[in-house]
Amino acid sequence: METKDQFEFIREMRQRFEAARSGWEHVRKDFRDDIRFVSGEPADQWDNEIKDNRDADWVPALTMDRLNPLVNQIVNQARQDRPQPKVQPGDDGNQATAEAIEGKFRHVLYESHADVAFDCAQAYASAGGFGYCEWTTEYIGSTGFIQEPRLKRVPDPLSVWFDPNVEELDYSDAEYAFKRKRYKRSEFKAEFHKDPLPFPFPDHQESDLNQWGDDENVWVAVYWWVEKKKHNYVALSDGQEGVEDELEIPEGVTVLQSRPLVERIVHRDIVDGEKVLEEGEWPSEWIGIIPTLGLERISEGKRRYTSAVRYARDPQQMENVAMSDIADRMATVNKEIWLGAKGQFKSKSWRDRRRHYYLEFEPVATNGQPEPPPQRVNTEPQIQGAVEAATLVNDAIKGAVGYVDTVTKPSQADLSGVAVQRRQQQTSLANFHYEEI
C-alpha cells in the first residue's frame, strides 16, 4: 500500500465485498440447496442421517430423479427459441448502418460461441435461481493489437458478487461487482510477480481479510466499480448541444435548456485483499457481467430468486421414499422370517441375508416329539398403498414445476398432432419465465 489513497481504496473495496457477501447470503444459500439437489450425487436428494440409517439396515434408498429432465427441458427449449440481436434505425437513422451494426453484433456472438454462455447461464438460473455471462476482450489473431469483445460463460455463479442494492432486472444500476478466483500461493506469485497477502494476518489488519486468504490459498478478484462524474448538459441559442464544460460558447449565445448529466466510467481492476494488482478502464457504461435470473420476488425486504425446482424438492423426496418402500417390499417377498423351535437356527446361514439352495437345521424334540422343520411366515407384500402414494407425489412434482394435463387421463391415441403440440406449448408456457435470457 504505497499511498493513503490506495489504502482507502482497498478499505472501501473490502467493505463493499462484505456488503455484497452479507446482502446476498440468503440467495446464495437457496442456490446451493437447489444445485446440490439436482447436480450432486443421487444420494444428495436424501437427508444424510436418514440415508445412513437405511444403508445400515439394508433398506433401499433410491433416487428417482424427475428434476434434472425438467432443467434440461427448459434449457433445450431456450436453445430452440434462441433470441437473435436486431438493430433498428431510429427516426433519423440509416438502415444500412443499422444492418452493419447488427452484422457486427452477430459476428461477435458467433466468434464468442455465445450459445455456450447462454446455455450455461440458463441452466444455472433454472436449477439454482441465477446464472451469469461475462463480457471480455480478446486479441484478433496471434499478432497485432486489435481486440474484439467476447461473451463468455461463468462456470461458477457463486464466484460472482454484485452490489446488493441493485434494482434493475439486468443489474445495469450496479455500483460495483466482484468475480473471484482462488490461487495457490505459489501460483499467485508466478501469475502476478508479487507476494500474496501474508498469513497469519498482522494484528492491526481487519478481520475481513479472512475472506481473502488462508495458509494455502489467496483469493483474487476482478473488481468492477463505477465512477460517476456530474455534468451539465445544455442546449444553446445557436443550435449547439452538449456538455457545458466542453462547448465553446460564443459571446451573445445563451443557454436555452439544461439538465444534469451523469457520466459513468467503469473501472476493471484486479485486486487481492490488500493491494491492486492491475488497473484498467472498461470501454462501456455498464459492468460487463450479465445476470440470467429465475423468478424474482421480494419478501420482507429480501430479494429471492426461485428456481424451477425449488418447490419440487419436497415431493421429489417423497417419491424417493415411496419408490424405495415399493422396492423394499418387492425385494423381501422371498425373505420373510423363518419360524421354528428354539435351537434350530444355530447356523449363521439363517441370518446372513444370502440366497441359499438349501439350509440345514438341527432337529429339536419337545416332550419326546420331534419339532417340524422351520417354516417361512409367508405374507403378501402390501405395495398398493405405496404405489398410490408414489402416483400422488408424482402429480405433486408436476404441479410444482408447472406441468398441467389438460384432460383427465388423456389417451395419446385420441390426440392429433396439433393437440399434442398445444399441450407441450402449455407446459412450456408454465416455465417460460425461466427461459428468458
Side-chain angles (χ1 to χ4, degrees), residues 11 16 27 44 50 144-145 169 298 313 327 332 397 401 425:
R11 178 185 289 274
R16 284 180 161 183
V27 175
D44 286 341
I50 294 176
F145 300 96
L169 193 61
I298 306 296
R313 283 164 40 192
T332 56
I397 293 174
V401 302
Q425 289 174 345

Side-chain angles (χ1 to χ4, degrees), residues 1-294:
M1 301 180 187
E2 299 175 357
T3 66
K4 182 178 179 180
D5 288 342
Q6 187 178 18
F7 178 84
E8 294 299 330
F9 175 82
I10 292 296
R11 178 185 289 274
E12 180 186 49
M13 180 274 294
R14 292 213 307 261
Q15 289 174 345
R16 284 180 161 183
F17 179 75
E18 284 301 304
R21 192 171 69 88
S22 60
W24 293 105
E25 182 178 4
H26 60 288
V27 175
R28 295 166 72 86
K29 180 183 182 303
D30 291 340
F31 179 93
R32 289 189 183 95
D33 292 342
D34 289 347
I35 289 294
R36 181 174 178 269
F37 202 81
V38 298
S39 300
E41 296 295 326
D44 286 341
Q45 292 192 4
W46 287 84
D47 177 84
N48 291 335
E49 184 177 354
I50 294 176
K51 178 70 165 58
D52 292 342
N53 290 338
R54 294 178 74 95
D55 289 344
D57 293 336
W58 293 74
V59 177
L62 307 179
T63 300
M64 315 302 294
D65 184 29
R66 309 281 186 183
L67 303 185
N68 270 301
L70 165 70
V71 173
N72 294 336
Q73 179 183 354
I74 295 173
V75 175
N76 291 336
Q77 182 67 34
R79 285 174 175 170
Q80 293 179 354
D81 300 330
R82 181 80 68 208
Q84 295 296 327
K86 185 68 177 177
V87 179
Q88 298 285 355
D91 294 338
D92 299 324
N94 182 280
Q95 182 65 35
T97 301
E99 291 176 356
I101 295 174
E102 181 179 315
K104 185 63 176 177
F105 197 6
R106 290 176 183 268
H107 165 75
V108 168
L109 294 180
Y110 175 80
E111 292 295 332
S112 300
H113 303 289
D115 286 355
V116 176
F118 291 146
D119 293 343
C120 180
Q122 183 69 73
Y124 276 121
S126 303
F130 61 89
Y132 299 103
C133 300
E134 180 182 16
W135 283 107
T136 63
T137 57
E138 291 182 357
Y139 288 105
I140 301 176
S142 57
T143 59
F145 300 96
I146 299 176
Q147 298 186 63
E148 278 190 345
R150 294 287 183 264
L151 187 67
K152 298 295 184 180
R153 71 178 186 137
V154 176
D156 180 10
L158 292 180
S159 66
V160 175
W161 283 263
F162 259 93
D163 176 1
N165 296 316
V166 292
E167 294 185 0
E168 297 296 332
L169 193 61
D170 59 359
Y171 294 0
S172 58
D173 57 336
E175 298 287 335
Y176 58 88
F178 297 85
K179 181 173 180 288
R180 300 211 306 175
K181 180 180 179 180
R182 182 169 56 189
Y183 285 83
K184 294 290 186 182
R185 289 185 169 271
S186 58
E187 296 173 345
F188 179 95
K189 194 164 186 176
E191 177 73 18
F192 300 104
H193 307 291
K194 295 181 181 180
D195 292 326
L197 74 165
F199 187 87
F201 308 119
D203 294 339
H204 68 276
Q205 294 280 22
E206 292 80 0
S207 61
D208 59 9
L209 271 179
N210 291 322
Q211 301 296 328
W212 290 91
D214 53 31
D215 58 339
E216 295 183 358
N217 306 292
V218 291
W219 287 98
V220 174
V222 178
Y223 173 41
W224 305 79
W225 57 282
V226 178
E227 177 187 4
K228 293 183 177 180
K229 293 184 177 181
K230 295 182 179 180
H231 303 284
N232 195 34
Y233 189 85
V234 297
L236 304 180
S237 57
D238 64 352
Q240 293 188 79
E241 285 189 13
V243 176
E244 186 174 17
D245 296 338
E246 298 176 358
L247 294 176
E248 293 185 5
I249 303 178
E251 186 175 352
V253 173
T254 58
V255 175
L256 300 179
Q257 288 182 298
S258 68
R259 68 178 183 90
L261 176 68
V262 178
E263 178 187 7
R264 290 170 54 92
I265 303 173
V266 178
H267 297 264
R268 186 182 183 275
D269 298 336
I270 311 297
V271 299
D272 65 3
E274 66 167 3
K275 56 186 172 293
V276 178
L277 303 172
E278 297 179 14
E279 292 183 272
E281 191 171 311
W282 183 246
S284 173
E285 296 181 32
W286 299 281
I287 291 171
I289 301 179
I290 307 169
T292 299
L293 306 175

Side-chain angles (χ1 to χ4, degrees), residues 354-397:
R354 296 180 181 177
R355 179 172 294 184
H356 298 276
Y357 291 104
Y358 65 90
L359 289 171
E360 296 180 344
F361 74 98
E362 296 187 16
V364 174
T366 304
N367 297 326
Q369 297 295 323
E371 292 286 347
Q375 301 291 324
R376 284 190 184 275
V377 181
N378 291 316
T379 58
E380 184 70 21
Q382 301 296 319
I383 66 172
Q384 185 62 35
V387 171
E388 292 178 358
T391 302
L392 288 174
V393 296
N394 199 337
D395 290 341
I397 293 174

